[in-house]
Amino acid sequence: TNNITALGPYTLQPDSLFVNGYNEKTTVTSAPTITTPAVILQSFIINITVTNMQFSADLSNSASPNYNSTVANLTQTLNNFFKSTSINSTFISCEIKGLRKGDSTNGTTVDAICVIKNDSSSPAFDKIAVYNDVSQRTRNITALGPYTLQPDSLYVNGYNERRTVTTTPTTTLPAVILQGFTVNITVTNIQFSADLNNSASPVYNHTVANLTQTLNNLFKGTSINSTFINCEIKGLRQGDSTSGTTIDAVCTIKNDSSGPQFDRVNVYQDVSRATRNITVLGPYTLQPDSLYVNGYNEKRTVTSAPTTVIPSYQVFTVNFTINNLLFEPQLLNPSSSYYQSAVTVILYLLNRTFENTSIKTTFTGCQIDGFRKAITGNGTALNATCQIRSDSSSPEFDRVKVYHDFSSNTNKITILGAYHLQNDSLYINGYN
């Protein structure tokens, strides 16, 4: 950087560089303000599965009281725990980033980011030492305060001693290639009110929790039950021609190159049969012509098409690996400047790329769902969800064509703006 003065188009403050707290130019007399509580921080990731906490839909909803109470208890337990370990003198706090279903149990896996102070005099963070410390103090990873643990479930910055295939947690592997689809349906025995338009209201949260469970149970009885993960209510609105309530949901299935292409017509017909021709769903009565699966509706005609279905959307997933974006723990923290900078640049490049493909007339945008360490090398793999407008007259989304469009626009999956891509890493809706 020319003695810490220039980085590409950026000019740098020459004495401002710290690498894991190390800085050659600071001295006691000339830089007291930098070396004092400039509080140089380092983060590390903790993943662990609690077996005596059964996972439920509430625990994936950050607005639910159950989620917030659980997170508060787990956070306090983790913070108290690390204050008694070998890193107690530098430990600051842990933050729960998410709860999910345990990989091989009915328990709940906790994903957390913990922060320690780090400066030139601090020892380097040793994930193996911390792992062994945690293991010893939790009785070989079996008990943490009031919680019982799955013994092979602990990961510290991806390190796990019991796993032989790889040292990264199974949840970071791209076995989790996901595809989303939209579901819209009107419930006639839920009268729409202002409360149902307010995601902070108890009425909204209670209604969404019940509807989410009902939808999840429905799809577990259809032809996609083996790949179905869950549904998430994105919004409730006034029914088009009734006083009822229309549900807008996005549901997710697992998908990979060997899986069958998602067939919205089949799924529509499955749901139709399971709801007695779209009339009953559990305790709810349905408006028979109101079901849309990825914009598909069999009873729709030119004259009766509801205006609100014009903005029906279909989502598709995009996964690829960037070789020259070094993976750091900050990429797991959406509030970090490293994360936000990467997301801003990548979203700009992704959107520009898709705006020059065969879906440019229906494309509406992408969002980054997360980053993870690449399987090989020090690069970063990303998961994104993109969206196109879709209705009954739209052509079926062709993942193979979009894959080839993307490949063509990125010089055979090698270049995306300033980023170098791993050329065999692109998946479009699971297709590679």
Side-chain angles (χ1 to χ4, degrees):
T1 57
N2 195 21
N3 291 325
I4 316 168
T5 59
L7 178 64
Y10 303 109
T11 55
L12 307 180
Q13 183 178 322
D15 61 350
S16 68
L17 173 65
F18 289 80
V19 176
N20 253 7
Y22 178 80
N23 173 292
E24 290 192 344
K25 302 200 175 191
T26 55
T27 67
V28 174
T29 54
S30 65
T33 55
I34 296 176
T35 56
T36 323
V39 190
I40 300 160
L41 304 179
Q42 178 177 355
S43 60
F44 63 95
I45 309 154
I46 293 287
N47 314 90
I48 199 162
T49 299
V50 177
T51 55
N52 64 336
M53 184 196 302
Q54 186 166 10
F55 185 79
S56 64
D58 276 353
L59 293 182
S60 62
N61 175 12
S62 59
S64 79
N66 189 21
Y67 176 92
N68 289 305
S69 169
T70 302
V71 163
N73 290 336
L74 284 166
T75 301
Q76 184 175 9
T77 300
L78 279 176
N79 287 341
N80 290 341
F81 174 78
F82 279 111
K83 285 171 184 173
S84 65
T85 65
S86 57
I87 60 170
N88 66 328
S89 62
T90 57
F91 176 76
I92 297 176
S93 66
C94 289
E95 182 181 352
I96 308 296
K97 288 299 181 183
L99 303 173
R100 53 188 165 84
K101 190 178 185 309
D103 296 328
S104 58
T105 71
N106 291 322
T108 298
T109 296
V110 181
D111 299 320
I113 291 184
C114 302
V115 179
I116 56 175
K117 288 180 288 190
N118 192 12
D119 56 34
S120 305
S121 62
S122 300
F125 176 77
D126 185 338
K127 64 183 178 180
I128 299 175
V130 172
Y131 178 97
N132 289 329
D133 200 2
V134 173
S135 176
Q136 182 181 358
R137 293 171 192 270
T138 55
R139 301 178 201 164
N140 292 324
I141 316 168
T142 59
L144 176 64
Y147 304 109
T148 55
L149 306 178
Q150 184 177 322
D152 60 351
S153 69
L154 173 65
Y155 292 82
V156 177
N157 259 9
Y159 179 80
N160 173 291
E161 289 193 345
R162 300 186 184 219
R163 190 168 169 210
T164 56
V165 178
T166 173
T167 57
T168 49
T170 52
T171 51
T172 63
L173 298 178
V176 194
I177 298 165
L178 305 179
Q179 177 177 356
F181 63 94
T182 53
V183 175
N184 314 87
I185 199 162
T186 299
V187 177
T188 55
N189 62 337
I190 296 179
Q191 187 166 5
F192 186 77
S193 65
D195 277 345
L196 293 180
N197 198 32
N198 176 12
S199 60
S201 79
V203 173
Y204 176 92
N205 287 304
H206 177 73
T207 304
V208 162
N210 290 337
L211 286 166
T212 301
Q213 184 174 8
T214 303
L215 277 177
N216 287 342
N217 291 340
L218 168 72
F219 282 109
K220 286 172 185 173
T222 66
S223 60
I224 59 170
N225 65 329
S226 62
T227 57
F228 176 75
I229 297 176
N230 62 18
C231 290
E232 183 179 349
I233 308 292
K234 292 297 185 183
L236 303 173
R237 53 187 166 87
Q238 170 80 53
D240 298 324
S241 57
T242 71
S243 58
T245 298
T246 297
I247 304 161
D248 299 319
V250 173
C251 302
T252 305
I253 56 174
K254 289 179 288 190
N255 194 11
D256 55 35
S257 303
S258 62
Q261 179 80 1
F262 175 78
D263 187 332
R264 62 181 181 172
V265 178
N266 278 350
V267 173
Y268 178 97
Q269 291 169 350
D270 276 354
V271 172
S272 178
R273 281 190 294 269
T275 56
R276 301 180 200 165
N277 292 324
I278 316 168
T279 58
V280 178
L281 176 61
Y284 304 109
T285 55
L286 306 178
Q287 183 177 323
D289 61 351
S290 69
L291 173 65
Y292 291 81
V293 176
N294 257 7
Y296 179 80
N297 173 293
E298 290 192 345
K299 303 195 178 189
R300 194 171 163 206
T301 66
V302 173
T303 55
S304 65
T307 54
T308 51
V309 177
I310 294 174
S312 259
Y313 298 104
Q314 179 176 355
V315 295
F316 63 95
T317 53
V318 178
N319 315 83
F320 57 83
T321 296
I322 301 173
N323 289 331
N324 63 334
L325 177 63
L326 183 65
F327 183 79
E328 297 283 357
Q330 292 96 312
L331 286 177
L332 297 175
N333 178 10
S335 63
S336 75
S337 57
Y338 189 42
Y339 176 96
Q340 292 170 6
S341 172
V343 164
T344 300
V345 175
I346 293 168
L347 277 184
Y348 169 76
L349 294 170
L350 266 183
N351 289 338
R352 190 176 67 175
T353 299
F354 282 115
E355 284 163 1
N356 288 289
T357 66
S358 57
I359 59 170
K360 62 184 176 183
T361 58
T362 56
F363 176 75
T364 61
C366 292
Q367 70 176 32
I368 305 297
D369 294 325
F371 296 103
R372 51 189 163 79
K373 190 178 186 308
I375 305 258
T376 57
N378 295 317
T380 298
L382 70 83
N383 302 326
T385 303
C386 301
Q387 185 172 262
I388 55 174
R389 290 190 302 274
S390 177
D391 57 35
S392 304
S393 63
S394 300
E396 186 75 18
F397 175 77
D398 186 339
R399 63 181 180 172
V400 179
K401 182 168 180 49
V402 173
Y403 178 97
H404 289 299
D405 285 348
F406 192 97
S407 174
S408 176
N409 285 346
T410 55
N411 194 23
K412 297 185 177 175
I413 317 167
T414 58
I415 300 286
L416 179 66
Y419 295 117
H420 302 301
L421 307 182
Q422 185 176 318
N423 63 3
D424 61 351
S425 67
L426 175 65
Y427 290 80
I428 301 287
N429 254 8
Y431 178 79
N432 173 290

